[in-house]
C-alpha cells in the first residue's frame, strides 16, 4: 500500500472526489495505486498542498510508524477544528461555586490512544532493526539479540500483571520480577547517570550494582561514581 491510499482512507476521502480536485480521471489514480504509473511531480505537489503532508509520503510504501503519524496528524487537525469552550463549575476553598469556561476537545481520548500506539509502533520498528542483522540473516538460532528477546518474551507471556478477568478484577503477576529485570537493564543502560546520584537507593539496586561491578560489567566511570558508597567498601576496584 502506497501512502496515497492510506492518506485518502484516513481523511475519509474518495478517489472520485480526489480525481475531480486534481483534474484527472479516477483510472489515473488507480494506476498510481497499482504502481503501473508513477505520480507526476506536479500532482505530488498538488497532493502535498491539499493534505498538508510531505510529497514523499504519497508514493512510498509506508511503515506502521508513518501510518500512525498520518492518523495522528489527522486527529490533531480535527482537534483544532472541533475544540470548543464549554461551561463548567468549580468550587473555591470557601465552598462557593463559580461558573467558568473550559476548553473541551472531543478527540482528546483518541489522540492519547494514538500517541500510545505510535510509541508502540516505534518500539516494534526498533526491535525489528535490532533483530534483522547479519547474524540473524545467516543463522538466527545463533543470534544473541534474537535469543535474548525470545527469552524476555517467554517471561512476559507468563506474567499476567496487566490482564483483567471477566469480572473486571486485575490480576497481579510477577511484578517484582519484572521490576528486577527493569532495574538490571536500567543500570546497564544508564550507568553513567547512576554513577552521579541518579540511582534509586534500595538494597536490591545497590547489591545488583555491586555484583555487576565485581564482574567488571560496568565501566570505570561507574566505578568512580560509586566508590565512596560504604556498601562497596568490600568490592575489589
Amino acid at each position: 500500500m502506497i501512502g496515497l491510499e492510506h492518506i485518502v482512507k484516513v481523511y475519509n476521502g474518495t478517489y472520485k472526489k480526489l480525481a475531480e480536485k486534481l483534474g484527472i480521471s479516477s483510472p489515473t489514480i488507480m494506476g498510481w495505486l497499482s504502481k503501473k504509473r508513477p505520480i507526476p511531480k506536479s500532482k505530488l505537489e498538488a497532493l502535498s498542498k491539499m493534505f498538508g503532508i510531505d510529497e514523499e509520503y504519497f508514493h512510498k510504501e509506508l511503515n506502521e510508524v508513518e501510518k500512525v503519524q498520518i492518523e495522528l496528524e489527522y486527529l490533531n487537525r480535527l482537534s483544532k477544528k472541533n475544540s470548543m469552550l464549554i461551561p463548567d463549575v468549580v468550587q473555591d476553598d470557601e465552598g462557593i461555586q463559580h461558573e467558568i469556561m473550559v476548553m473541551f476537545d472531543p478527540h482528546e481520548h483518541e489522540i492519547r490512544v494514538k500517541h500510545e500506539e505510535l510509541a508502540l509502533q516505534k518500539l516494534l520498528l526498533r526491535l525489528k532493526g535490532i533483530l534483522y542483522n547479519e547474524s540473524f540473516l545467516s543463522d538466527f538460532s545463533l543470534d544473541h539479540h534474537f535469543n535474548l528477546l525470545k527469552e524476555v518474551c517467554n517471561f512476559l507471556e507468563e506474567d499476567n500483571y496487566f490482564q483483567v478477568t471477566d469480572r473486571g478484577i486485575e490480576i497481579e503477576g510477577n511484578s517484582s520480577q519484572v521490576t528486577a529485570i527493569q532495574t538490571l537493564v536500567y543500570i546497564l543502560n544508564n550507568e553513567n547517570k547512576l554513577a552521579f546520584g541518579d540511582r534509586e537507593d534500595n538494597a536490591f539496586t545497590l547489591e545488583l550494582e555491586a555484583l555487576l561491578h565485581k564482574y567488571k560489567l560496568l565501566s570505570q566511570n561507574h566505578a568512580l561514581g560509586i566508590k565512596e558508597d560504604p556498601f562497596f567498601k568490600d568490592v575489589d576496584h
Side-chain angles (χ1 to χ4, degrees):
M1 174 191 296
I2 65 171
L4 176 60
E5 183 175 355
H6 185 68
I7 292 169
V8 172
K9 179 180 179 181
V10 169
Y11 281 73
N12 298 312
T14 66
Y15 299 131
K16 181 179 179 180
K17 290 182 179 179
L18 181 60
E20 292 174 354
K21 290 182 179 180
L22 293 173
I24 58 177
S25 64
S26 295
T28 298
I29 292 182
M30 300 311 296
W32 296 346
L33 299 178
S34 63
K35 297 183 180 180
K36 292 181 179 179
R37 63 183 71 177
I39 304 176
K41 175 65 175 176
S42 61
K43 299 306 180 185
L44 284 174
E45 293 174 351
L47 288 167
S48 178
K49 184 177 181 180
M50 187 182 304
F51 290 95
I53 298 174
D54 290 343
E55 294 178 18
E56 63 173 326
Y57 289 99
F58 290 95
H59 61 84
K60 65 179 290 187
E61 292 282 345
L62 301 180
N63 59 41
E64 294 304 315
V65 169
E66 291 167 333
K67 290 179 182 178
V68 177
Q69 287 174 329
I70 288 172
E71 295 164 10
L72 185 57
E73 176 61 23
Y74 175 68
L75 287 174
N76 284 330
R77 293 183 188 184
L78 289 181
S79 173
K80 291 180 180 179
K81 178 182 178 181
N82 298 328
S83 292
M84 66 189 80
L85 287 171
I86 60 173
D88 194 10
V89 176
V90 296
Q91 184 170 294
D92 62 24
D93 296 336
E94 298 177 354
I96 302 175
Q97 292 187 337
H98 304 272
E99 185 175 284
I100 61 173
M101 300 298 290
V102 297
M103 185 63 71
F104 170 70
D105 181 1
H107 307 284
E108 180 180 359
H109 176 71
E110 292 177 272
I111 291 174
R112 182 170 62 252
V113 171
K114 194 59 65 175
H115 272 292
E116 294 171 354
E117 183 182 352
L118 179 60
L120 174 61
Q121 291 299 338
K122 284 183 176 180
L123 178 59
L124 291 174
L125 189 63
R126 290 177 64 190
L127 289 174
K128 187 175 181 180
I130 292 171
L131 288 175
Y132 279 86
N133 52 43
E134 292 183 6
S135 175
F136 176 84
L137 295 176
S138 61
D139 187 353
F140 72 87
S141 64
L142 300 178
D143 182 74
H144 295 305
H145 289 160
F146 174 83
N147 289 317
L148 171 61
L149 291 174
K150 179 181 178 182
E151 290 300 322
V152 171
C153 287
N154 290 340
F155 172 77
L156 292 178
E157 284 178 346
E158 294 298 322
D159 177 70
N160 55 7
Y161 183 69
F162 293 107
Q163 291 185 5
V164 180
T165 66
D166 294 337
R167 293 178 295 179
I169 301 175
E170 188 170 296
I171 303 173
E172 183 175 355
N174 304 320
S175 57
S176 60
Q177 294 178 353
V178 172
T179 301
I181 294 176
Q182 288 178 320
T183 302
L184 171 61
V185 174
Y186 187 80
I187 292 174
L188 292 174
N189 203 36
N190 299 275
E191 54 173 307
N192 290 332
K193 289 174 59 180
L194 291 168
F196 293 97
D198 198 23
R199 179 185 63 230
E200 182 180 351
D201 291 317
N202 58 58
F204 176 75
T205 302
L206 294 174
E207 290 183 38
L208 184 56
E209 282 185 300
L211 184 64
L212 292 171
H213 179 70
K214 178 180 178 181
Y215 287 96
K216 303 184 186 308
L217 296 176
L218 298 177
S219 69
Q220 184 63 25
N221 288 337
H222 189 93
L224 292 173
I226 64 175
K227 66 179 181 180
E228 301 300 330
D229 196 315
F231 182 84
F232 296 97
K233 63 182 180 180
D234 297 325
V235 177
D236 294 333
H237 291 280

